[in-house]
PDB file of all heavy atoms in Angstrom:
ATOM      1  N   ALA A  18      31.337 114.577  38.259  1.00  0.00           N
ATOM      2  CA  ALA A  18      29.875 114.495  38.323  1.00  0.00           C
ATOM      3  C   ALA A  18      29.339 114.193  39.708  1.00  0.00           C
ATOM      4  O   ALA A  18      28.133 114.224  39.929  1.00  0.00           O
ATOM      5  CB  ALA A  18      29.384 113.419  37.346  1.00  0.00           C
ATOM      6  N   THR A  19      30.228 113.902  40.665  1.00  0.00           N
ATOM      7  CA  THR A  19      29.797 113.523  42.017  1.00  0.00           C
ATOM      8  C   THR A  19      30.314 114.525  43.030  1.00  0.00           C
ATOM      9  O   THR A  19      31.514 114.836  43.048  1.00  0.00           O
ATOM     10  CB  THR A  19      30.315 112.124  42.378  1.00  0.00           C
ATOM     11  OG1 THR A  19      29.875 111.176  41.398  1.00  0.00           O
ATOM     12  CG2 THR A  19      29.809 111.704  43.750  1.00  0.00           C
ATOM     13  N   ASN A  20      29.430 115.016  43.868  1.00  0.00           N
ATOM     14  CA  ASN A  20      29.838 115.957  44.911  1.00  0.00           C
ATOM     15  C   ASN A  20      30.430 115.200  46.092  1.00  0.00           C
ATOM     16  O   ASN A  20      29.905 114.150  46.479  1.00  0.00           O
ATOM     17  CB  ASN A  20      28.635 116.778  45.380  1.00  0.00           C
ATOM     18  CG  ASN A  20      28.010 117.579  44.261  1.00  0.00           C
ATOM     19  OD1 ASN A  20      28.696 118.034  43.351  1.00  0.00           O
ATOM     20  ND2 ASN A  20      26.692 117.747  44.317  1.00  0.00           N
ATOM     21  N   PRO A  21      31.508 115.687  46.693  1.00  0.00           N
ATOM     22  CA  PRO A  21      32.105 114.992  47.830  1.00  0.00           C
ATOM     23  C   PRO A  21      31.151 114.936  49.019  1.00  0.00           C
ATOM     24  O   PRO A  21      30.546 115.946  49.386  1.00  0.00           O
ATOM     25  CB  PRO A  21      33.349 115.833  48.148  1.00  0.00           C
ATOM     26  CG  PRO A  21      33.045 117.180  47.580  1.00  0.00           C
ATOM     27  CD  PRO A  21      32.210 116.938  46.362  1.00  0.00           C
ATOM     28  N   ALA A  22      31.011 113.758  49.610  1.00  0.00           N
ATOM     29  CA  ALA A  22      30.110 113.594  50.761  1.00  0.00           C
ATOM     30  C   ALA A  22      30.676 114.262  52.002  1.00  0.00           C
ATOM     31  O   ALA A  22      29.935 114.698  52.884  1.00  0.00           O
ATOM     32  CB  ALA A  22      29.867 112.111  51.022  1.00  0.00           C
ATOM     33  N   SER A  23      32.002 114.356  52.067  1.00  0.00           N
ATOM     34  CA  SER A  23      32.664 114.976  53.202  1.00  0.00           C
ATOM     35  C   SER A  23      34.036 115.438  52.741  1.00  0.00           C
ATOM     36  O   SER A  23      34.424 115.229  51.589  1.00  0.00           O
ATOM     37  CB  SER A  23      32.785 113.991  54.367  1.00  0.00           C
ATOM     38  OG  SER A  23      33.304 114.631  55.514  1.00  0.00           O
ATOM     39  N   THR A  24      34.780 116.080  53.617  1.00  0.00           N
ATOM     40  CA  THR A  24      36.143 116.509  53.312  1.00  0.00           C
ATOM     41  C   THR A  24      37.039 116.167  54.493  1.00  0.00           C
ATOM     42  O   THR A  24      36.569 115.894  55.605  1.00  0.00           O
ATOM     43  CB  THR A  24      36.221 118.022  53.051  1.00  0.00           C
ATOM     44  OG1 THR A  24      36.005 118.725  54.294  1.00  0.00           O
ATOM     45  CG2 THR A  24      35.192 118.470  52.021  1.00  0.00           C
ATOM     46  N   ALA A  25      38.338 116.221  54.260  1.00  0.00           N
ATOM     47  CA  ALA A  25      39.286 115.955  55.345  1.00  0.00           C
ATOM     48  C   ALA A  25      39.117 116.966  56.474  1.00  0.00           C
ATOM     49  O   ALA A  25      39.228 116.623  57.653  1.00  0.00           O
ATOM     50  CB  ALA A  25      40.724 115.995  54.813  1.00  0.00           C
ATOM     51  N   LEU A  26      38.843 118.220  56.107  1.00  0.00           N
ATOM     52  CA  LEU A  26      38.670 119.244  57.138  1.00  0.00           C
ATOM     53  C   LEU A  26      37.409 119.005  57.953  1.00  0.00           C
ATOM     54  O   LEU A  26      37.402 119.145  59.175  1.00  0.00           O
ATOM     55  CB  LEU A  26      38.634 120.628  56.494  1.00  0.00           C
ATOM     56  CG  LEU A  26      38.536 121.817  57.454  1.00  0.00           C
ATOM     57  CD1 LEU A  26      39.647 121.790  58.490  1.00  0.00           C
ATOM     58  CD2 LEU A  26      38.562 123.128  56.676  1.00  0.00           C
ATOM     59  N   MET A  27      36.320 118.614  57.290  1.00  0.00           N
ATOM     60  CA  MET A  27      35.090 118.283  58.012  1.00  0.00           C
ATOM     61  C   MET A  27      35.324 117.122  58.968  1.00  0.00           C
ATOM     62  O   MET A  27      34.877 117.150  60.121  1.00  0.00           O
ATOM     63  CB  MET A  27      33.983 117.911  57.022  1.00  0.00           C
ATOM     64  CG  MET A  27      33.469 119.050  56.179  1.00  0.00           C
ATOM     65  SD  MET A  27      32.227 118.476  54.979  1.00  0.00           S
ATOM     66  CE  MET A  27      31.951 119.965  54.019  1.00  0.00           C
ATOM     67  N   ASP A  28      36.010 116.098  58.484  1.00  0.00           N
ATOM     68  CA  ASP A  28      36.285 114.928  59.315  1.00  0.00           C
ATOM     69  C   ASP A  28      37.169 115.294  60.501  1.00  0.00           C
ATOM     70  O   ASP A  28      36.986 114.766  61.614  1.00  0.00           O
ATOM     71  CB  ASP A  28      36.955 113.833  58.483  1.00  0.00           C
ATOM     72  CG  ASP A  28      36.033 113.281  57.402  1.00  0.00           C
ATOM     73  OD1 ASP A  28      34.809 113.483  57.510  1.00  0.00           O
ATOM     74  OD2 ASP A  28      36.544 112.663  56.438  1.00  0.00           O
ATOM     75  N   MET A  29      38.127 116.196  60.266  1.00  0.00           N
ATOM     76  CA  MET A  29      39.010 116.607  61.349  1.00  0.00           C
ATOM     77  C   MET A  29      38.239 117.371  62.421  1.00  0.00           C
ATOM     78  O   MET A  29      38.418 117.155  63.618  1.00  0.00           O
ATOM     79  CB  MET A  29      40.144 117.474  60.805  1.00  0.00           C
ATOM     80  CG  MET A  29      41.229 117.758  61.837  1.00  0.00           C
ATOM     81  SD  MET A  29      42.496 118.896  61.225  1.00  0.00           S
ATOM     82  CE  MET A  29      41.672 120.466  61.455  1.00  0.00           C
ATOM     83  N   ARG A  30      37.349 118.275  61.990  1.00  0.00           N
ATOM     84  CA  ARG A  30      36.542 119.032  62.950  1.00  0.00           C
ATOM     85  C   ARG A  30      35.644 118.083  63.761  1.00  0.00           C
ATOM     86  O   ARG A  30      35.468 118.262  64.978  1.00  0.00           O
ATOM     87  CB  ARG A  30      35.678 120.054  62.220  1.00  0.00           C
ATOM     88  CG  ARG A  30      36.459 121.138  61.486  1.00  0.00           C
ATOM     89  CD  ARG A  30      37.173 122.033  62.445  1.00  0.00           C
ATOM     90  NE  ARG A  30      37.730 123.189  61.742  1.00  0.00           N
ATOM     91  CZ  ARG A  30      38.986 123.586  61.812  1.00  0.00           C
ATOM     92  NH1 ARG A  30      39.846 122.917  62.583  1.00  0.00           N
ATOM     93  NH2 ARG A  30      39.417 124.638  61.149  1.00  0.00           N
ATOM     94  N   ALA A  31      35.073 117.079  63.100  1.00  0.00           N
ATOM     95  CA  ALA A  31      34.210 116.120  63.788  1.00  0.00           C
ATOM     96  C   ALA A  31      35.005 115.303  64.803  1.00  0.00           C
ATOM     97  O   ALA A  31      34.530 115.036  65.919  1.00  0.00           O
ATOM     98  CB  ALA A  31      33.550 115.197  62.777  1.00  0.00           C
ATOM     99  N   ALA A  32      36.236 114.908  64.421  1.00  0.00           N
ATOM    100  CA  ALA A  32      37.086 114.131  65.329  1.00  0.00           C
ATOM    101  C   ALA A  32      37.480 114.962  66.542  1.00  0.00           C
ATOM    102  O   ALA A  32      37.513 114.459  67.677  1.00  0.00           O
ATOM    103  CB  ALA A  32      38.328 113.647  64.586  1.00  0.00           C
ATOM    104  N   GLU A  33      37.781 116.238  66.328  1.00  0.00           N
ATOM    105  CA  GLU A  33      38.122 117.131  67.434  1.00  0.00           C
ATOM    106  C   GLU A  33      36.948 117.250  68.411  1.00  0.00           C
ATOM    107  O   GLU A  33      37.143 117.216  69.636  1.00  0.00           O
ATOM    108  CB  GLU A  33      38.487 118.516  66.894  1.00  0.00           C
ATOM    109  CG  GLU A  33      39.797 118.560  66.128  1.00  0.00           C
ATOM    110  CD  GLU A  33      40.026 119.897  65.444  1.00  0.00           C
ATOM    111  OE1 GLU A  33      39.058 120.696  65.342  1.00  0.00           O
ATOM    112  OE2 GLU A  33      41.158 120.146  65.004  1.00  0.00           O
ATOM    113  N   ALA A  34      35.754 117.379  67.862  1.00  0.00           N
ATOM    114  CA  ALA A  34      34.567 117.501  68.706  1.00  0.00           C
ATOM    115  C   ALA A  34      34.314 116.221  69.487  1.00  0.00           C
ATOM    116  O   ALA A  34      33.952 116.251  70.667  1.00  0.00           O
ATOM    117  CB  ALA A  34      33.348 117.850  67.841  1.00  0.00           C
ATOM    118  N   GLN A  35      34.518 115.090  68.823  1.00  0.00           N
ATOM    119  CA  GLN A  35      34.294 113.796  69.483  1.00  0.00           C
ATOM    120  C   GLN A  35      35.245 113.615  70.658  1.00  0.00           C
ATOM    121  O   GLN A  35      34.856 113.089  71.709  1.00  0.00           O
ATOM    122  CB  GLN A  35      34.472 112.666  68.473  1.00  0.00           C
ATOM    123  CG  GLN A  35      34.123 111.295  69.035  1.00  0.00           C
ATOM    124  CD  GLN A  35      34.201 110.214  67.979  1.00  0.00           C
ATOM    125  OE1 GLN A  35      34.870 110.361  66.958  1.00  0.00           O
ATOM    126  NE2 GLN A  35      33.522 109.103  68.209  1.00  0.00           N
ATOM    127  N   GLN A  36      36.476 114.050  70.502  1.00  0.00           N
ATOM    128  CA  GLN A  36      37.448 113.960  71.588  1.00  0.00           C
ATOM    129  C   GLN A  36      37.016 114.789  72.792  1.00  0.00           C
ATOM    130  O   GLN A  36      37.345 114.469  73.929  1.00  0.00           O
ATOM    131  CB  GLN A  36      38.823 114.415  71.100  1.00  0.00           C
ATOM    132  CG  GLN A  36      39.487 113.447  70.124  1.00  0.00           C
ATOM    133  CD  GLN A  36      40.837 113.941  69.646  1.00  0.00           C
ATOM    134  OE1 GLN A  36      41.220 115.084  69.903  1.00  0.00           O
ATOM    135  NE2 GLN A  36      41.572 113.087  68.949  1.00  0.00           N
ATOM    136  N   GLU A  37      36.280 115.859  72.528  1.00  0.00           N
ATOM    137  CA  GLU A  37      35.806 116.734  73.596  1.00  0.00           C
ATOM    138  C   GLU A  37      34.430 116.317  74.102  1.00  0.00           C
ATOM    139  O   GLU A  37      33.846 116.984  74.956  1.00  0.00           O
ATOM    140  CB  GLU A  37      35.748 118.178  73.093  1.00  0.00           C
ATOM    141  CG  GLU A  37      37.106 118.730  72.684  1.00  0.00           C
ATOM    142  CD  GLU A  37      37.005 120.102  72.056  1.00  0.00           C
ATOM    143  OE1 GLU A  37      35.871 120.640  71.994  1.00  0.00           O
ATOM    144  OE2 GLU A  37      38.037 120.640  71.623  1.00  0.00           O
ATOM    145  N   GLY A  38      33.899 115.220  73.545  1.00  0.00           N
ATOM    146  CA  GLY A  38      32.593 114.747  73.950  1.00  0.00           C
ATOM    147  C   GLY A  38      31.445 115.591  73.435  1.00  0.00           C
ATOM    148  O   GLY A  38      30.373 115.646  74.046  1.00  0.00           O
ATOM    149  N   ILE A  39      31.665 116.241  72.311  1.00  0.00           N
ATOM    150  CA  ILE A  39      30.656 117.127  71.732  1.00  0.00           C
ATOM    151  C   ILE A  39      30.100 116.506  70.453  1.00  0.00           C
ATOM    152  O   ILE A  39      30.837 115.921  69.661  1.00  0.00           O
ATOM    153  CB  ILE A  39      31.265 118.509  71.398  1.00  0.00           C
ATOM    154  CG1 ILE A  39      31.841 119.155  72.659  1.00  0.00           C
ATOM    155  CG2 ILE A  39      30.224 119.408  70.738  1.00  0.00           C
ATOM    156  CD1 ILE A  39      32.622 120.416  72.387  1.00  0.00           C
ATOM    157  N   ILE A  40      28.795 116.631  70.266  1.00  0.00           N
ATOM    158  CA  ILE A  40      28.187 116.221  69.006  1.00  0.00           C
ATOM    159  C   ILE A  40      28.251 117.415  68.071  1.00  0.00           C
ATOM    160  O   ILE A  40      27.561 118.418  68.274  1.00  0.00           O
ATOM    161  CB  ILE A  40      26.728 115.768  69.198  1.00  0.00           C
ATOM    162  CG1 ILE A  40      26.673 114.549  70.132  1.00  0.00           C
ATOM    163  CG2 ILE A  40      26.094 115.432  67.850  1.00  0.00           C
ATOM    164  CD1 ILE A  40      25.260 114.097  70.437  1.00  0.00           C
ATOM    165  N   LYS A  41      29.089 117.323  67.059  1.00  0.00           N
ATOM    166  CA  LYS A  41      29.338 118.445  66.170  1.00  0.00           C
ATOM    167  C   LYS A  41      28.220 118.575  65.141  1.00  0.00           C
ATOM    168  O   LYS A  41      27.914 117.631  64.425  1.00  0.00           O
ATOM    169  CB  LYS A  41      30.676 118.232  65.445  1.00  0.00           C
ATOM    170  CG  LYS A  41      31.190 119.452  64.688  1.00  0.00           C
ATOM    171  CD  LYS A  41      31.783 120.465  65.630  1.00  0.00           C
ATOM    172  CE  LYS A  41      32.545 121.534  64.882  1.00  0.00           C
ATOM    173  NZ  LYS A  41      33.169 122.521  65.777  1.00  0.00           N
ATOM    174  N   ARG A  42      27.614 119.750  65.081  1.00  0.00           N
ATOM    175  CA  ARG A  42      26.605 119.986  64.054  1.00  0.00           C
ATOM    176  C   ARG A  42      27.297 120.172  62.708  1.00  0.00           C
ATOM    177  O   ARG A  42      28.457 120.588  62.639  1.00  0.00           O
ATOM    178  CB  ARG A  42      25.784 121.223  64.377  1.00  0.00           C
ATOM    179  CG  ARG A  42      26.578 122.532  64.280  1.00  0.00           C
ATOM    180  CD  ARG A  42      25.714 123.757  64.464  1.00  0.00           C
ATOM    181  NE  ARG A  42      26.480 124.987  64.318  1.00  0.00           N
ATOM    182  CZ  ARG A  42      25.953 126.202  64.271  1.00  0.00           C
ATOM    183  NH1 ARG A  42      24.644 126.334  64.378  1.00  0.00           N
ATOM    184  NH2 ARG A  42      26.707 127.272  64.134  1.00  0.00           N
ATOM    185  N   ARG A  43      26.596 119.860  61.644  1.00  0.00           N
ATOM    186  CA  ARG A  43      27.112 120.086  60.301  1.00  0.00           C
ATOM    187  C   ARG A  43      25.986 120.646  59.452  1.00  0.00           C
ATOM    188  O   ARG A  43      25.019 119.958  59.145  1.00  0.00           O
ATOM    189  CB  ARG A  43      27.661 118.799  59.694  1.00  0.00           C
ATOM    190  CG  ARG A  43      28.092 118.965  58.231  1.00  0.00           C
ATOM    191  CD  ARG A  43      28.739 117.713  57.702  1.00  0.00           C
ATOM    192  NE  ARG A  43      28.768 117.714  56.248  1.00  0.00           N
ATOM    193  CZ  ARG A  43      29.247 116.715  55.509  1.00  0.00           C
ATOM    194  NH1 ARG A  43      29.738 115.637  56.098  1.00  0.00           N
ATOM    195  NH2 ARG A  43      29.231 116.784  54.197  1.00  0.00           N
ATOM    196  N   ILE A  44      26.116 121.909  59.095  1.00  0.00           N
ATOM    197  CA  ILE A  44      25.105 122.580  58.281  1.00  0.00           C
ATOM    198  C   ILE A  44      25.699 122.827  56.898  1.00  0.00           C
ATOM    199  O   ILE A  44      26.657 123.591  56.753  1.00  0.00           O
ATOM    200  CB  ILE A  44      24.661 123.903  58.917  1.00  0.00           C
ATOM    201  CG1 ILE A  44      24.157 123.667  60.340  1.00  0.00           C
ATOM    202  CG2 ILE A  44      23.589 124.578  58.070  1.00  0.00           C
ATOM    203  CD1 ILE A  44      23.886 124.930  61.114  1.00  0.00           C
TER     204      ILE A  44
END
């Protein structure tokens, strides 16, 4: 009944962007 707020893949993409100093958009 609950939709996932995030996923491991989303978190991984965000972490990769953070390492590069990029603010990752999420649409």
Side-chain angles (χ1 to χ4, degrees):
T19 304
N20 300 327
S23 186
T24 70
L26 183 55
M27 291 177 186
D28 294 342
M29 189 185 80
R30 296 293 189 232
E33 291 172 346
Q35 186 175 22
Q36 289 179 351
E37 298 174 3
I39 301 172
I40 298 176
K41 191 77 168 182
R42 68 174 182 172
R43 175 175 162 182
I44 304 172

